[in-house]
Amino acid sequence: GIAFDKTAFILIDVWNRHWCRGANERLAAMLPRMNELLAAARENGALIIHAPSGTMAAYEDTIQRRRAKEAPYAKPPFPVNSWQNLAPEIEGQLPIDDSDGGCDCEPQCESYSAWSAQHPAIDIAPADAISDKGQEIYNLLEQHGIERVFILGVHTNMCVLGRPFGIRQMARLERNPVLVRDLTDTMYNHRMPPRVPHDRGT
């Protein structure tokens, strides 16, 4: 097996339910492989951080949540708790138009906060951590000497990029973020530019 010391896997917003029916269906197809990957990474020394945003109340009394809350404070080089917006001067524009919210169901689903926890198909092991706070996750990375971060989850063009523990932030923190491409999905309506099938948009 591959040694994953000094490596973390951050599972972003793999919620138990999304407001978009199609998003739920596409996630369901990925869940078994996500769980397999996390199990293998964990077995080979990686720190697994579950980050289902907005659902921390469901985990308040768990050892995994306490592990994140109790990690020693580490002063970051800049504030790390805010959403990281697209920076066109660095990244250019996204190759897809997601301005309609990205639901390609017909009719489009109504947006609302549907989630209350991480999806139950993903195992949370005793040695894992749970957090949706940028500072807490930074504390964990520093505590464990993490130099490289693998990121999977949903959605690539939204939370995976923009969350305080997503790709943009990890790049700014020089943690060598790696996107696990086949275990992510976009919110993209294929009827919007560039009008390609959903998988190609992803």
Side-chain angles (χ1 to χ4, degrees):
I2 300 171
F4 279 127
D5 59 315
K6 300 187 181 301
T7 298
F9 281 68
I10 302 180
L11 185 68
I12 295 181
D13 290 347
V14 179
W15 289 310
N16 55 345
R17 182 169 178 78
H18 194 272
W19 56 266
C20 172
R21 184 181 71 255
N24 288 322
E25 292 169 355
R26 292 188 299 271
L27 176 61
M30 294 188 290
L31 287 166
R33 293 302 301 271
M34 286 180 167
N35 209 36
E36 289 174 12
L37 173 65
L38 295 178
R42 187 185 293 118
E43 187 175 316
N44 285 281
L47 172 66
I48 308 300
I49 303 174
H50 305 266
S53 301
T55 70
M56 293 301 101
Y59 302 102
E60 207 56 40
D61 296 326
T62 66
I63 189 172
Q64 296 90 348
R65 180 76 190 102
R66 290 198 302 273
R67 179 169 290 115
K69 291 170 70 174
E70 295 172 4
Y73 175 78
K75 183 174 175 55
F78 47 81
V80 291
N81 277 330
S82 61
W83 179 277
Q84 300 297 298
N85 291 313
L86 177 85
E89 68 280 5
I90 299 172
E91 305 170 52
Q93 295 294 333
L94 290 180
I96 59 169
D97 182 347
D98 59 10
S99 60
D100 68 342
C103 175
D104 49 6
C105 299
E106 289 191 276
Q108 286 189 309
C109 304
E110 181 180 350
S111 176
Y112 67 101
S113 295
W115 42 86
S116 59
Q118 183 166 273
H119 200 288
I122 299 295
D123 296 329
I124 301 176
D128 296 352
I130 300 175
S131 179
D132 66 352
K133 310 287 190 296
Q135 181 64 58
E136 289 179 358
I137 291 177
Y138 182 74
N139 294 343
L140 285 165
L141 299 182
E142 287 292 286
Q143 180 185 28
H144 293 270
I146 300 299
E147 299 174 353
R148 179 176 56 178
V149 174
F150 286 78
I151 294 177
L152 59 156
V154 293
H155 289 98
T156 321
N157 52 322
M158 296 178 180
C159 296
V160 167
L161 279 174
R163 288 287 184 191
F165 36 83
I167 285 177
R168 289 190 184 108
Q169 189 82 290
M170 291 300 123
R172 291 182 71 204
L173 291 169
E174 299 181 347
R175 298 303 163 116
N176 304 303
V178 177
L179 176 68
V180 184
R181 287 183 60 191
D182 58 339
L183 295 180
T184 189
D185 178 43
T186 59
M187 285 299 294
Y188 166 62
N189 177 3
H190 64 274
R191 294 178 292 276
M192 298 286 282
R195 297 180 177 82
V196 296
H198 188 97
D199 287 348
R200 186 173 177 194
T202 296

